[in-house]
Amino acid sequence: MKVLKFGGTSVGSPERMKKLLDIIQPEERQIVVLSAVSGTTNSLVEISRALSVGDKLLAEKLIKHLHEGYKQFIQELFTTEEGRSNGQELIDYHFDLIRSFNTSIFSPIEEKIILAQGELISTTLYHFYLTEIGVRSKLLPALDFMKIDEDNEPLIDFIGKHLKDLVLAASDHNLFITQGYICRNAFGEIDNLRRGGSDYTASLIGAAIRAEEVQIWTDIDGMHNNDPRIVKGTRPIANLTFNEAAELAYFGAKILHPQSVFPAQRYNIPVRLLNTMDPQAPGTLISEVAQHQDQVTSIAAKDGITAIRIQSSRMLLAYGFLRRVFEVFERYKTPIDMITTSEVAVSLSIDDTTNLKDIEAELLDFGTVSIDSDQTIICIVGDFGIHKHGYASRVLDAVKHIPLRMISYGGSDYNISVLLSTSDKVEALRSLHNRLF
Ligand code: ADP
Ligand code: ASP
Ligand code: MG
């Protein structure tokens, strides 16, 4: 069975939604994962923000605007009276629910319920549309099988078991549709897999049912060798290994959710990145097989990084020092991205600053602590095995006019990373692109 995920722009208009049937073959057994209609989750975030600060007027204005947009959407999506009336009833139900939070207390629990409405709407609208045109499909509620634990880690076995039960119970269907992004947490509450999480949903489903292949359909012809929003002349990469794709996704290539490669990788399920606007384009195949050697493959950038330096005379010749430093981050459940050490200091970078104040207070026990925010990690992925030479110098040469905060090389065979001020990111990406490709 294949898993096909369509992102926000791929379902972004009634016309686009209808065109999905150029790609989906309804008679093939498959699970289709849909994102919310593009722009919807951003609007739901804004509505939640207004509600959380008690700005009821702004919240109502935003809700009304989004609701009106959907009224227009269903007029164009459906052609029969019955279809339109079902669509209308559906969106009214979801918007009544969103409005109901304007008169109640507002906590992160309510916020997550609001954020879930986009995918609940898009999938049901699409299912209704297929029904209207006589294509059989079965809606699988993601909230009945997609589950994470207290540490936000997905429970693959739970997901697999519950999903298989749902599919088995509807064994007279071939085409299954489900929501990306949304899930239940350890407390049974509605939660989500973070922004862009529909890719993660697709990979988790692929892993959980040991799918034949996961296809991520989006608005570009695969993973490009640099960020196409910033650099001109980028081109798609035909093949990536799981490790390369994971590094690029984790370090900012927006086409893939940061964690979305790992589930597929664990069960060796190929992932294809494909373009809904150009379905014939080959896209990118992510698999175990390395297709290119001795070259730089791609560049990505991740913003919002904070660098922390701990300077300590006690580090000198002391074993156990790094462990104690890491334990501080572990206690605050804060992942470390990059790390560089000297004999008297260690620098590391984090992107989750929720507990930075407490972390800093504990680190002060070790020595002097200095913190720099607004940093960007630039990650260069390629074939940099330990017997290769010249790559580090080419990378550093390309950014020699830019101050670097940290450099990381040798952590793996396929990644060189540099940390620099976000204000230098655009120049660094362009210069690296010109020099490396
Ligand atoms: P979807 O809504 O389908 O999930 P996204 O907007 O999340 O789509 O991801 C696709 C976008 O990612 C592209 O339109 C492109 O602008 C951006 N992007 C950033 N870096 C890359 C990259 N290295 N390769 C391809 N696309 C990238
Ligand atoms: N709709 C969610 C978002 O905008 C999930 C996704 O599109 O992947 O973040
Ligand atoms: Mg996305």
Side-chain angles (χ1 to χ4, degrees), residues 5 7 35 196-197 199 218 254-257:
K5 175 257 169 177
S35 292
D199 304 327
T218 180
K254 193 195 170 223
I255 186 171
L256 276 178
H257 178 282

Side-chain angles (χ1 to χ4, degrees), residues 5 8 35-36 41 119 181 194-199:
K5 175 257 169 177
S35 292
T41 312
E119 272 70 10
Y181 177 60
R194 313 282 167 93
R195 295 304 307 272
S198 300
D199 304 327

Side-chain angles (χ1 to χ4, degrees), residues 68 365 392:
E68 291 303 319
D365 286 347

